[in-house]
Every structure is written in structure tokens, then in C-alpha cells.
């Protein structure tokens, strides 16, 4: 079997998977995507005093502002999750969660930590894909109205979402000299480039989902660490952030790459 035959077989398997799961995949994707906001909102409730004290000491902003910060994070994240899962005011919920990401990036000094900054940007990429999906649903209400083609904002949201999502994988590359690390880096880099440019997008994104899921369960198994240890919270944070990026990739699989992609341009050739 040649390389082209192997690729065609893999694409057939991916298409068959999509046909079987197309009714459930968008729901699963949304649930995965908002999981880090859901977990963080719940954590704000159970660690209210610790979070408030941290902000008050770090920023010397006083008790009232620190309390307001925690309350805003709690309500903003849990409220946004409920709206997205119930499919109500999705665009407003996404903009609210964008605001939460920006606020936390500054408040927790993530701006100066490249790894965490890239992961937050990847999370923003997932939200961009949610916005693109909500625009699709809005347009479907007017199915009988003539259209000039796919809207440009939606196309560029999908492009931006794809490009930002791959930043997560940049944080997973290991610059070691052993064979396994080199192979993993080569395969991973090839896949993220395919997703970013939108070539064989669904197959590449689905492969990344499987790869990232395996890495997440193996390396971020927070349930194996006692809850009183700091590593438990660190691994839990990583686990749910990675799960959110998996949700973004599942949206790419469900929605396709959009108009600004090589897959779409191939149809015109």
C-alpha cells in the first residue's frame, strides 16, 4: 500500500467516524472546551479565601477589590458555561470568557510566562471557533435567503482559531536528543502545520485529538496525587486547559477548516 493509499484510507476512517458522531460531536466539543472555565469557576467557590488573599497581597488592592475579582471570575465563568451549553447568547458568553482570560493573564502574571501565555492564547482560539459556530447557527435561521457565500468574519475566526489552537502543541515539544522525542516533535509539528494551513484538516485535527488525549491522561493524572499537595492543583489546571484545547480541535473536526484554508481552495482547482 502506497503513501497516498494509506492517506486515503485514513481519511475514509475519519469520514466514517464523523458520520457516526456528527450529532454528538459538537456537544462534546463544547463541553470539553468550556471545561477549564467550569473547573476554575468551581475552584473560585471552594478556594474563595485563598484566591482573594492572593490577589489582595499580590496587587495590594484591598479587601473589596480582591473580593470583587474572585466574584467576577466565579460568576463570569460559570455563567458563561451555562449560556454556551444551553446555546443562549453564545456570542456574549464568548466575549465574557475572553475578558476572563485577559483579566487572569494580567492578575496571575501569566503575561510573563511564555508557556502559560501560549496556552491561554490557545484557549482563546477555541473560543473563536465557538463564535464561528454561533454565526453558522445564526445564518441557518435564514436558510431560504440568498447568500453571497460564507461570511468573511466567520472564515477569519476559524483561521484565527486554528492558528491559536496549535500554540498549545508548541508547549508540548520536548527538545531532547532521544529518538522518541525527535519522532514525536517531527510528527506533532507536521500535524499542527496541517491544521494551521487547513490541509487535510479534519484528519490532522482528529489525530491531534487522540495524541493530546493520551498525553493529557498520562502526564496530567491529577487524581493520582493527594489533594493537599500543590502538584494536585497544578496538574488539574493543566488537565482541564488541555481538555479545552481538545474541545477546540473537535470543533475543527465538526465544522471543518472554513473558507481560508487549503482544503477549501482545493475545491476551486
Amino acid at each position: 500500500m502506497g503513501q497516498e493509499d494509506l492517506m486515503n484510507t485514513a481519511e475514509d476512517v475519519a469520514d466514517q467516524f464523523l458520520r457516526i458522531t456528527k450529532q454528538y460531536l459538537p456537544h462534546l466539543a463544547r463541553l470539553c472546551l468550556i471545561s477549564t472555565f467550569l473547573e476554575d469557576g468551581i475552584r473560585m467557590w471552594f478556594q474563595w479565601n485563598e484566591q482573594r488573599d492572593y490577589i489582595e497581597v499580590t496587587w495590594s488592592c484591598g479587601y473589596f477589590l480582591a473580593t470583587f475579582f474572585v466574584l467576577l471570575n466565579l460568576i463570569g465563568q460559570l455563567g458563561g458555561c451555562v449560556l454556551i451549553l444551553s446555546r443562549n447568547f453564545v456570542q456574549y458568553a464568548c466575549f465574557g470568557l475572553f475578558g476572563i482570560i485577559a483579566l487572569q493573564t494580567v492578575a496571575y502574571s501569566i503575561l510573563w510566562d511564555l508557556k502559560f501565555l501560549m496556552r491561554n492564547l490557545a484557549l482563546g482560539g477555541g473560543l473563536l471557533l465557538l463564535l464561528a459556530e454561533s454565526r453558522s447557527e445564526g445564518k441557518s435561521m435564514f436558510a431560504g435567503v440568498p447568500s453571497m457565500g460564507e461570511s468573511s468574519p466567520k472564515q477569519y475566526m476559524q483561521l484565527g482559531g486554528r492558528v491559536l489552537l496549535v500554540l498549545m502543541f508548541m508547549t508540548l515539544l520536548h527538545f531532547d536528543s532521544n529518538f522518541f522525542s525527535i519522532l514525536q516533535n517531527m510528527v506533532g509539528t507536521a500535524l499542527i502545520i496541517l491544521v494551521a494551513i487547513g490541509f487535510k484538516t479534519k484528519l490532522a485535527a482528529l489525530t491531534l485529538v487522540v495524541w493530546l488525549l493520551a498525553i493529557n491522561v498520562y502526564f496530567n493524572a491529577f487524581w493520582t496525587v493527594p489533594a493537599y499537595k500543590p502538584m494536585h492543583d497544578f496538574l488539574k489546571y493543566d488537565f482541564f486547559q488541555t481538555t479545552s484545547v481538545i474541545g477546540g480541535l473537535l470543533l475543527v473536526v465538526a465544522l471543518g477548516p472554513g473558507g481560508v484554508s487549503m482544503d477549501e481552495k482545493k475545491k476551486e482547482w
Side-chain angles (χ1 to χ4, degrees):
M1 182 180 287
Q3 186 176 359
E4 189 175 343
D5 292 334
L6 190 63
M7 185 66 71
N8 289 335
T9 302
E11 285 188 310
D12 289 341
V13 171
D15 287 338
Q16 187 176 4
F17 171 79
L18 282 173
R19 282 194 294 272
I20 294 171
T21 61
K22 67 178 181 180
Q23 288 185 320
Y24 313 104
L25 197 59
H27 300 291
L28 177 62
R30 288 190 289 268
L31 180 60
C32 288
L33 208 158
I34 58 97
S35 63
T36 191
F37 298 107
L38 190 61
E39 186 275 332
D40 197 53
I42 293 170
R43 185 162 56 87
M44 289 290 167
W45 175 264
F46 286 104
Q47 296 182 3
W48 179 281
N49 291 333
E50 294 94 324
Q51 294 295 326
R52 184 199 61 220
D53 293 345
Y54 172 83
I55 294 297
E56 185 177 1
V57 170
T58 304
W59 292 96
S60 302
C61 58
Y63 180 89
F64 176 76
L65 282 178
T67 301
F68 179 72
F69 171 85
V70 177
L71 183 63
L72 182 64
N73 273 270
L74 189 153
I75 294 174
Q77 291 185 103
L78 295 184
C81 290
V82 169
L83 290 176
I84 286 169
L85 290 178
S86 64
R87 313 307 295 141
N88 292 309
F89 305 105
V90 174
Q91 295 190 30
Y92 296 108
C94 288
F95 286 127
L97 292 176
F98 274 126
I100 295 292
I101 291 175
L103 184 63
Q104 290 191 354
T105 299
V106 174
Y108 294 111
S109 302
I110 291 171
L111 198 59
W112 315 118
D113 188 319
L114 186 59
K115 177 181 175 181
F116 285 105
L117 178 61
M118 291 172 78
R119 292 192 172 195
N120 266 15
L121 288 171
L123 203 54
L127 290 176
L128 271 179
L129 292 170
L130 262 180
L131 272 176
E133 185 201 25
S134 70
R135 287 183 66 89
S136 297
E137 290 180 347
K139 287 177 72 67
S140 68
M141 294 171 61
F142 306 100
V145 179
S147 173
M148 295 298 291
E150 194 176 10
S151 65
S152 290
K154 180 194 165 189
Q155 292 182 28
Y156 290 109
M157 282 178 194
Q158 288 179 279
L159 172 63
R162 292 199 321 269
V163 171
L164 288 174
L165 274 180
V166 303
L167 292 177
M168 166 61 85
F169 297 91
M170 301 300 292
T171 69
L172 298 176
L173 297 177
H174 300 285
F175 299 101
D176 301 326
S177 57
N178 66 72
F179 174 77
F180 180 74
S181 291
I182 294 171
L183 180 64
Q184 179 177 289
N185 288 349
M186 289 174 62
V187 173
T189 301
L191 289 170
I192 64 179
I193 290 172
L194 290 176
V195 170
I197 65 176
F199 182 66
K200 305 285 185 186
T201 316
K202 291 185 177 183
L203 177 60
L206 197 56
T207 307
L208 282 174
V209 165
V210 175
W211 180 38
L212 197 53
L213 184 62
I215 288 174
N216 201 25
V217 171
Y218 183 78
F219 288 108
N220 296 326
F222 65 89
W223 52 88
T224 63
V225 179
Y228 63 84
K229 292 190 174 181
M231 184 57 72
H232 176 89
D233 280 346
F234 179 78
L235 291 177
K236 195 178 193 181
Y237 173 83
D238 260 13
F239 179 86
F240 282 103
Q241 272 224 327
T242 308
T243 301
S244 289
V245 174
I246 288 173
L249 286 168
L250 286 174
L251 271 183
V252 171
V253 174
L255 298 176
V260 188
S261 65
M262 288 188 68
D263 284 343
E264 194 66 27
K265 296 302 177 187
K266 278 196 307 179
K267 297 174 184 178
E268 301 173 8
W269 296 343

